[in-house]
Amino acid sequence: MQYIGFNGRIVPPQEAMISVLDHGFLYGLSLFETFRTYGGRPFLLSRHLTRLASGCRAVGIELPRDAQLARVERHVAELLQVSGLRDGYVRYTVTAGDAALGLPETAYMTPNVVVYVKPLPPAAPLAARGRALQLLRTRRNSPEGDVRLKSAHYMNNILAKRELGETPSASASHSAPAEGLMLNAAGHITEGIVSNVFFVRNGVCCTPAIDTGILPGITRGFVLELAQQADIAVEEGYYTWEDLLEADEVFITNSIQEIVPIYTMYDLEDVRWHAESHQTSGGTDSLDFSFVTHQLHQAYQQAIDQHIKAGQ
């Protein structure tokens, strides 16, 4: 049976009720974090909660005490247990709560917290995770403020996802669905529908700058740190689709899928890039993925192992 975490309690889905007066429903005023557990413990949770707290402050939501680190860890562990899961995909959502119709100037003092868990996709080695990346016509909209919040305003992403289903990559045979890539109004690459984008060129690991309008992804930030620790040169900047086509390696990141290599890239008409034609082995045993991507993936796995051992 499925259960939902709702304002600190664990209840069946039909009991996790949000009022029609909740401004999360009326105005989309809700924020969320998506993360996963390893060894039953949320990974990079303090970073996720820091971003969530920053977003709540920006929109005037008083984050409840239930959102403190130790309480979230305990609540997630309880929710996994009753759901019969050792590990899971977790979505932690804070909605503004009930208020009068209209846009208030005061803070939201009674938010709702909804925690949803579900099974994780089957684990796979890095070489089997490869996906295609499809350029989209749908442009990334501008952020709500100075920095994009991880909010429930997902119309832009949904439009992009619908377009993705009608692109050349959708009709091609791939082991995993393609990810869509959005440009911003200036024509710079931004991010995927549910991921941040990286590419490696001449040994430099590049990713779009925050002020291109991307979400400052938690996994994105962590991978940049891992790269620096490994003495891999990193660069955040403004890049075009043509820059991406000149890359030696391309990969995407998010908190659930971790690091995912890109094997093929499509423009609006056909395939434009294959990993094989840009491959550098870097001394690895397999040419199924490139050296920097492999190196970062190993570092990421080591961090996961340390996280699991710390909880034992």
Side-chain angles (χ1 to χ4, degrees):
M1 181 177 179
Q2 184 181 17
Y3 290 92
I4 302 292
F6 185 65
N7 291 334
R9 300 180 295 123
I10 295 177
V11 300
Q14 62 269 23
E15 295 182 23
M17 305 294 288
I18 297 290
S19 166
V20 295
L21 296 178
D22 191 309
H23 278 204
F25 169 72
L26 289 174
Y27 302 114
L29 198 59
S30 66
L31 302 165
F32 71 97
E33 293 293 325
T34 301
F35 50 88
R36 62 179 291 170
T37 66
Y38 298 94
R41 298 175 56 238
F43 189 56
L44 303 179
L45 181 58
S46 62
R47 301 183 186 215
H48 283 283
L49 294 181
T50 296
R51 181 173 66 178
L52 179 65
S54 176
C56 285
R57 284 194 300 271
V59 298
I61 297 176
E62 184 70 22
L63 198 61
R65 293 179 62 190
D66 284 344
Q68 294 175 355
L69 180 66
R71 293 191 179 201
V72 174
E73 286 185 324
R74 183 168 58 251
H75 191 51
V76 168
E78 293 169 349
L79 194 52
L80 288 172
Q81 183 177 19
V82 299
S83 301
L85 298 173
R86 172 170 173 75
D87 283 308
Y89 170 121
V90 184
R91 172 169 164 150
Y92 191 98
T93 303
V94 177
T95 75
D98 288 12
L101 194 63
L103 304 180
E105 297 178 355
T106 56
Y108 294 95
M109 304 303 294
T110 57
N112 289 304
V113 177
V114 181
V115 187
Y116 173 87
V117 302
K118 69 176 184 179
L120 288 162
L126 181 63
R129 296 184 186 184
R131 298 177 68 178
L133 187 66
Q134 170 72 59
L135 178 65
L136 300 175
R137 288 190 175 86
T138 302
R139 294 299 171 112
R140 194 60 168 125
N141 60 358
S142 57
E144 300 89 344
D146 293 336
V147 177
R148 185 176 298 279
L149 305 178
K150 193 169 180 67
S151 74
H153 298 169
Y154 251 53
M155 191 69 72
N156 188 218
N157 302 65
I158 291 170
L159 292 173
K161 185 72 171 182
R162 291 178 64 85
E163 180 192 345
L164 180 61
E166 301 173 353
T167 58
S169 62
S171 58
S173 176
H174 294 293
S175 58
E179 169 67 313
L181 174 68
M182 291 179 281
L183 309 180
N184 62 17
H188 296 127
I189 64 172
T190 59
E191 57 192 343
I193 298 172
V194 292
S195 65
N196 287 119
V197 177
F198 289 78
F199 66 94
V200 179
R201 185 173 58 189
N202 299 325
V204 180
C205 186
C206 306
T207 193
I210 296 294
D211 59 5
T212 59
I214 67 170
L215 178 74
I218 299 301
T219 304
R220 172 189 180 275
F222 189 58
V223 167
L224 285 172
E225 292 177 17
L226 293 177
Q228 291 169 333
Q229 292 168 12
D231 292 326
I232 298 170
V234 299
E235 178 183 279
E236 299 177 67
Y238 307 94
Y239 309 106
T240 64
W241 172 245
E242 286 70 27
D243 291 324
L244 206 57
L245 294 177
E246 295 176 0
D248 301 314
E249 309 172 38
V250 182
F251 63 92
I252 57 176
T253 62
N254 71 26
S255 293
I256 305 301
Q257 301 173 28
E258 304 165 355
I259 295 173
V260 179
I262 296 298
Y263 288 166
T264 306
M265 291 195 292
Y266 293 80
D267 64 12
L268 299 175
E269 297 179 357
D270 202 353
V271 175
R272 288 294 305 276
W273 185 93
H274 280 295
E276 291 85 351
S277 61
H278 298 265
Q279 196 68 67
T280 56
S281 67
T284 64
D285 294 331
S286 170
L287 293 181
D288 286 338
F289 44 81
S290 298
F291 178 61
V292 172
T293 307
H294 175 70
Q295 190 175 1
L296 290 172
H297 178 260
Q298 285 186 319
Y300 198 96
Q301 294 305 307
Q302 290 171 1
I304 291 170
D305 291 342
Q306 293 170 2
H307 172 79
I308 293 173
K309 289 178 181 178
Q312 293 175 343

